[in-house]
Amino acid sequence: MRTGFLTVAHVVVHCDGCGDRYSEVRYDQMCFTSVNEAIAYITGRGAGIGWAYDGDKVLCDGCLASARCTEHGHTFSEPRRRLLGSKPDFRTCSVCGISETEIEEES
C-alpha cells in the first residue's frame, strides 16, 4: 500500500496548436501511463470528441476547425431577413465559430 508523499510520472496530452490539455470533463485532465497509451486513446476515443493525432502532432477540435477554415474558407448560413430598422444579424461560421465581424476586423 502506498501512503504519504509520492512522485508519480504520467503523460498528459496538450494540443500542439494552442496548448490546451486533453480533457473529457471540464477542468479535469486525462493522465496516461505511457505515450503509447495516450496515442491509442486519442486515436480511438479522441476522434469522437474532435481531437486528432496524425503521427506527428496532436490537435484539438478548435485548431482542427481553424485549419479547415483556413484551407477551405468559412461556412456561413444564409442571413435571415430582418425587420426594417432592427439590428443586423451577425452570422458565425458553423465550423470554427468565428463571427463575420471578427473576420472583417482581421482584413
Side-chain angles (χ1 to χ4, degrees), residues 74 98 101-107:
H74 295 283
I98 193 170
T101 56
E102 289 179 73
I103 295 169
E104 292 169 2
E105 292 171 1
E106 291 175 358
S107 301

Side-chain angles (χ1 to χ4, degrees), residues 7-77:
T7 301
V8 179
H10 60 270
V11 176
V12 178
V13 180
H14 288 261
C15 175
D16 284 315
C18 66
D20 281 356
R21 287 185 307 209
Y22 179 82
S23 175
E24 293 181 6
V25 181
R26 192 173 182 162
Y27 305 118
D28 193 17
Q29 66 184 6
M30 298 285 296
C31 297
F32 302 95
T33 58
S34 70
V35 172
N36 288 336
E37 181 187 24
I39 290 170
Y41 192 84
I42 290 293
T43 56
R45 170 87 169 117
I49 58 172
W51 285 62
Y53 177 68
D54 65 5
D56 180 38
K57 293 182 178 181
V58 62
L59 295 173
C60 70
D61 53 349
C63 289
L64 288 170
S66 294
R68 187 250 176 234
C69 287
T70 299
E71 188 174 326
H72 300 288
H74 295 283
T75 304
F76 293 104
S77 60

Side-chain angles (χ1 to χ4, degrees), residues 83-96:
L83 296 174
L84 201 58
S86 63
K87 293 183 180 180
D89 186 19
F90 295 109
R91 302 178 303 163
T92 59
C93 176
S94 62
V95 176
C96 71

